[in-house]
Amino acid sequence: MTIIGEDYGEYTLDIPNGEVRNALAKELMPHYMGVSENDVSYAIFALRKAIRKADVDSMMRIVQSLIAQIPYHIIHRNPLEETFHMLVYEIFLMVGIDTESERSVSGGRIDMVATTPRDVFVFEFKLGGTPQEALAQIDAKDYALSWSSDNRKVHKIGATFSPETRTLKDWAIA
């Protein structure tokens, strides 16, 4: 682990080696999320395929399905947005996608960015609210501007989580 940031005594850690990060995610996710290794293996295959095809709706349905399998008592009764943010981040790491959380850019901090050789996925997450509000934040803060001269296609994804059902509720794509 490497300390990559500190804010009033709260440290941000990173695992600098991609192979170690992916291995940890694959080993820990079934236990952390309370799902079977077979479910995780199928989800990894299906999610990787959806990401490779840039099929954002399928990608988000798979993420929704994985989060929905987490027993209700594991996610706190009053979940925080950060809880869901971390779950999506870990799911993408588990799949082996180059993923960055809390990426700082000129307009602010992007919740999550996932990249492939052909695509860039810029995520904004909200607990409650609407996906359109999340997309509006991506646009208002120019989160996608960093990739404007990139040859890859940029997908802006606003996603909301329900505090009642404790899962991914809805998403919108721009």
Side-chain angles (χ1 to χ4, degrees):
M1 293 284 212
T2 303
I3 297 173
I4 60 171
E6 188 269 336
D7 187 21
Y8 296 102
E10 188 174 291
Y11 294 91
T12 303
L13 302 175
D14 187 32
I15 302 168
N17 182 314
E19 289 178 31
V20 173
R21 184 180 8 216
N22 291 339
L24 279 172
K26 286 177 187 173
E27 291 298 319
L28 294 176
M29 288 307 288
H31 304 290
Y32 177 73
M33 294 178 67
V35 297
S36 76
E37 290 184 33
N38 288 340
D39 288 343
V40 170
S41 295
Y42 172 76
I44 287 171
F45 174 77
L47 186 54
R48 213 180 262 141
K49 183 177 176 183
I51 292 168
R52 194 171 39 249
K53 292 169 110 181
D55 181 352
V56 178
D57 277 323
S58 292
M59 179 177 81
M60 297 304 285
R61 277 194 299 280
I62 295 164
V63 169
Q64 182 182 47
S65 172
L66 280 169
I67 295 173
Q69 293 179 55
I70 300 171
Y72 75 95
H73 61 277
I74 290 178
I75 296 179
H76 192 270
R77 292 187 197 288
N78 297 310
L80 302 172
E81 180 180 312
E82 292 84 359
T83 302
F84 297 107
H85 178 151
M86 186 242 350
L87 286 170
V88 177
Y89 174 72
E90 288 294 327
I91 289 168
F92 272 73
L93 286 180
M94 175 180 63
V95 172
I97 301 302
D98 186 17
T99 306
E100 191 174 349
S101 184
E102 295 292 323
R103 179 172 178 157
S104 292
V105 294
S106 62
R109 259 192 298 208
I110 304 169
D111 281 345
M112 190 176 100
V113 177
T115 59
T116 70
R118 289 188 293 223
D119 298 281
V120 176
F121 302 93
V122 177
F123 291 87
E124 180 61 31
F125 303 121
K126 298 288 181 199
L127 182 60
T130 68
Q132 291 71 26
E133 291 169 340
L135 284 176
Q137 181 173 334
I138 292 172
D139 288 337
K141 297 190 178 226
D142 281 331
Y143 287 165
L145 187 60
S146 296
W147 297 276
S148 62
S149 64
D150 197 307
N151 289 332
R152 294 176 287 184
K153 181 171 180 180
V154 176
H155 308 268
K156 298 183 264 185
I157 304 162
T160 59
F161 300 96
S162 167
E164 294 81 27
T165 62
R166 298 178 188 91
T167 192
L168 179 60
K169 180 181 178 183
D170 202 5
W171 57 88
I173 308 152

